[in-house]
Amino acid sequence: MSENKRATKAIVPAAGNATRFLPSTKSVPKELFPVIDKPVLHHIVEEAAAAGLSDVLLVTARGKDALTDYFDARPDLEDALRRKGDDKRLQAVKQPEQLADITAIRQGGALGLGHAVGRGAHFVGDEPFAVLLGDEFCDIDDELLPQMIDLQSQTGGIVLALLEVPWDEVSRYGVASVNSTDNDDVVEVTGLVEKPARENAPSNLIVVGRYILPGTIFPEIDRTEPGRGGEIGLTEAMDAMRENGTPVHGVVFKGRRYDTGEPVGYLKTLVELAAQRDDLRSFRTWLRDFSAELDD
Ligand code: G1P
């Protein structure tokens, strides 16, 4: 096992149909929905790049070529902005292609998260790597990924990000049973279950969409039988590795997670990030007045 090797590559599964946002997602992938002036996927790749993950594989689907277009150069637009002397916008247009080396592969069917990650086997080889789900992101300042990558290079196993949520939300997620360790921020994972009924959930610690995995996950994904909906689960493959002796740890995340995968989470993300921006101070003022009216 590559105990001291650090993850430098990331897989971003982004092949879903995003039915919760239909009809918008008929032609605009949800990963390109704007979070103010950058799409969701830009925030995700920024988070990866800030953690040293500068090689990124997007797992996409038919009709989602706009995802890769976003990270490509736009010489026509760049020339127009250069002629106008609009340096600020020119830099903004060039930023996506400068963030990371982007590669794309199509999933070839909605066959589950495990299957999507498995499409990255050749891209990754047998190194440890990160998975960042394409519809959520964290504040870069919280340094979640760097902490996870450090821990994975020490254990050589699986490192997950866990978040405590209200009990009525657990059935929407992968849920971990855990033992504490000497480090307050780190737990040992003793079991994983995907979307349990609330009464069967072993805890209210959910798996958020950030994983550091060893390359040995790929043969395990190949061995994983399709479950509900004919989908191959990543949670099931990880739990099988755990049962066979791979160490699994969770970093308990205390920072802010932005979940743009469903309408209310997307709206909260927009409002929260807009309210933090100095250049949008007038929005904050408006929001304060608007919320006061709501309370009436
Ligand atoms: C996926 C994972 C789940 C995880 C969740 C985080 O579920 O399967 O274990 O907790 O992402 O967002 P999905 O949102 O694809 O249903």
Side-chain angles (χ1 to χ4, degrees), residues 17-274:
N17 283 328
T19 50
R20 279 176 281 199
F21 285 103
L22 281 171
S24 295
T25 43
K26 268 178 81 183
S27 59
V28 183
K30 72 172 169 183
E31 294 82 4
L32 290 186
F33 282 7
V35 175
I36 331 253
D37 36 21
K38 292 176 195 164
V40 173
L41 189 58
H42 185 129
H43 289 272
I44 292 170
V45 174
E46 248 179 358
E47 190 189 332
L53 303 164
S54 50
D55 246 337
V56 177
L57 177 73
L58 305 178
V59 183
T60 71
R62 181 180 293 272
K64 299 188 91 170
D65 290 348
L67 296 181
T68 38
D69 289 347
Y70 179 76
F71 292 97
D72 196 2
R74 268 291 301 273
D76 55 330
L77 189 54
E78 289 167 27
D79 283 349
L81 292 166
R82 213 171 278 121
R83 275 198 303 275
K84 276 204 221 162
D86 192 342
D87 246 22
K88 195 168 159 232
R89 292 203 173 91
L90 179 62
Q91 288 320 312
V93 166
K94 288 166 72 74
Q95 204 200 356
E97 57 168 316
Q98 291 166 345
L99 274 179
D101 278 333
I102 304 286
T103 313
I105 191 168
R106 287 194 180 179
Q107 187 176 358
L111 298 170
L113 182 56
H115 179 265
V117 171
R119 297 288 288 140
H122 292 297
F123 170 79
V124 166
D126 59 4
E127 299 169 17
F129 65 102
V131 174
L132 288 80
L133 299 193
D135 53 13
E136 55 186 284
F137 59 93
C138 303
D139 271 334
I140 289 176
D141 294 344
D142 287 328
E143 304 231 319
L144 172 64
L145 278 174
Q147 215 182 325
M148 294 174 72
I149 294 170
D150 282 350
L151 181 59
Q152 199 281 337
S153 73
Q154 288 158 24
T155 67
I158 293 173
V159 175
L160 308 173
L162 302 176
L163 181 74
E164 197 171 344
V165 297
W167 278 91
D168 58 0
E169 291 179 19
V170 291
S171 56
R172 292 186 358 220
Y173 297 101
V175 180
S177 44
V178 302
N179 283 334
S180 54
T181 68
D182 295 343
N183 180 339
D184 276 353
D185 296 333
V186 174
V187 289
E188 181 201 352
V189 174
T190 56
L192 285 169
V193 49
E194 182 68 9
K195 302 192 174 74
R198 177 188 168 145
E199 54 281 14
N200 298 332
S203 79
N204 61 341
L205 284 174
I206 62 141
V207 176
V208 305
R210 298 291 177 269
Y211 310 77
I212 313 294
L213 302 170
T216 43
I217 190 77
F218 294 114
E220 192 60 58
I221 288 172
D222 288 344
R223 281 191 290 272
T224 304
E225 294 291 332
R228 56 184 128 180
E231 297 192 350
I232 295 171
L234 182 61
T235 304
E236 289 76 359
M238 292 191 303
D239 204 44
M241 285 183 73
R242 183 195 58 76
E243 274 179 359
N244 290 329
T246 300
V248 184
H249 291 87
V251 171
V252 182
F253 184 51
K254 308 261 169 53
R256 183 70 181 88
R257 165 180 180 254
Y258 301 101
D259 178 6
T260 55
E262 48 88 26
V264 172
Y266 175 61
L267 288 172
K268 286 183 184 168
T269 302
L270 285 176
V271 172
E272 204 169 324
L273 291 183

